[in-house]
Amino acid sequence: SLIPFLSQSGIKEDVPPVELVLMIDGSRLSDQLKIEVARTVNQVAEEYNVDPLLILAIMKVESSFRPTVTSHRGAVGLMQIKTIAAREVAKELSLNTNISMSTLSHHELNIRIGVHYFASLMKRFGGNIWKALSAYNRGPTAVARNFGSQHITRKSYPGRVLAAYLAYSKLRKEPILKS
C-alpha cells in the first residue's frame, strides 16, 4: 500500500492524486515529464470520461512508467500501443496515420491513443472493465471469442491493473474503490 509510504515520506496531503502517483511510482520520469504526463492524463481522462487513476494503473502494468520502452511484441511507450492499433485510432481521431514506433513513443500521442482505444473497448464491452482490460491486453477479437474460458485471477492482466487502481484510489480523500 502507498499510504504508509506517504506518512513516512512527508509528502503533503494536498497533492492531487495523479501527481502523487507520478511522484511515487514515476521515478523513471523526469520532473518535467511528470508534469506533462499529469497534464495529458488529466486532459484525456476528462475528454473520455475515464478515471485518470485507472489510466495510470494501466501505465504502471503496461510500462512501469517507462515512456520509451518497447515490448517484444512491438508495443511502445507508456500505454504500450502497437503501431497497427495506433494507425486505426489515428484514423478515428483524424490524425496523421503515418505513425512510427518513434512517434508513438511520444507520451502525449501515446496516452491519447491508448485512452481513446481503452474507452472504445469499454463501450464495445458494455462498460465491463474486466473485459475491456482483457481486450486492451489480448485484443478485442480474442476476448469476444473466448472470454468465458479466461481465468479471472489477481495475477491476470486485468487483476494487476485493478489492484494498482485500488491502491491509487486510496490516495483520494474519498476513495472510489475500497478493498
Side-chain angles (χ1 to χ4, degrees):
S1 173
L2 299 171
I3 306 304
F5 170 80
L6 294 177
S7 59
Q8 295 168 357
S9 68
I11 294 175
K12 296 179 182 176
E13 289 183 28
D14 60 343
V15 176
V18 169
E19 287 79 354
L20 195 53
V21 167
L22 292 171
M23 286 171 62
I24 296 165
D25 277 352
S27 62
R28 291 180 168 102
L29 303 172
S30 69
D31 289 344
Q32 181 60 39
L33 195 50
K34 287 176 190 173
I35 292 167
E36 293 173 19
V37 166
R39 184 181 62 238
T40 302
V41 165
N42 283 318
Q43 181 183 4
V44 296
E46 189 173 325
E47 286 175 30
Y48 290 97
N49 197 28
V50 175
D51 188 334
L53 298 181
L54 178 58
I55 296 168
L56 292 175
I58 292 170
M59 282 184 203
K60 178 182 175 73
V61 172
E62 286 288 347
S63 68
S64 298
F65 295 103
R66 293 175 294 171
T68 58
V69 69
T70 301
S71 76
H72 67 282
R73 293 191 173 183
V76 178
L78 291 167
M79 300 285 290
Q80 287 292 281
I81 309 295
K82 291 183 180 179
T83 52
I84 191 162
R87 289 181 185 128
E88 287 299 313
V89 171
K91 204 180 301 178
E92 292 173 20
L93 295 173
S94 301
L95 298 173
N96 182 348
T97 57
N98 188 18
I99 294 176
S100 67
M101 290 176 82
S102 175
T103 57
L104 194 52
S105 69
H106 184 269
H107 64 277
E108 190 172 344
L109 179 65
N110 190 277
I111 294 167
R112 179 163 299 285
I113 287 175
V115 174
H116 177 89
Y117 182 57
F118 178 72
S120 72
L121 293 170
M122 284 291 288
K123 186 175 182 180
R124 177 175 178 170
F125 291 103
N128 183 319
I129 193 168
W130 197 276
K131 283 185 178 181
L133 286 169
S134 293
Y136 190 89
N137 181 248
R138 296 175 38 224
T141 305
V143 171
R145 212 178 300 136
N146 57 11
F147 182 75
S149 66
Q150 181 187 14
H151 297 294
I152 298 176
T153 68
R154 287 181 181 227
K155 290 183 180 180
S156 66
Y157 175 83
R160 293 191 326 268
V161 171
L162 292 174
Y165 182 42
L166 174 63
Y168 292 165
S169 81
K170 290 178 180 177
L171 298 174
R172 289 191 168 109
K173 290 182 181 169
E174 299 285 327
I176 291 176
L177 297 174
K178 297 181 176 141
S179 43

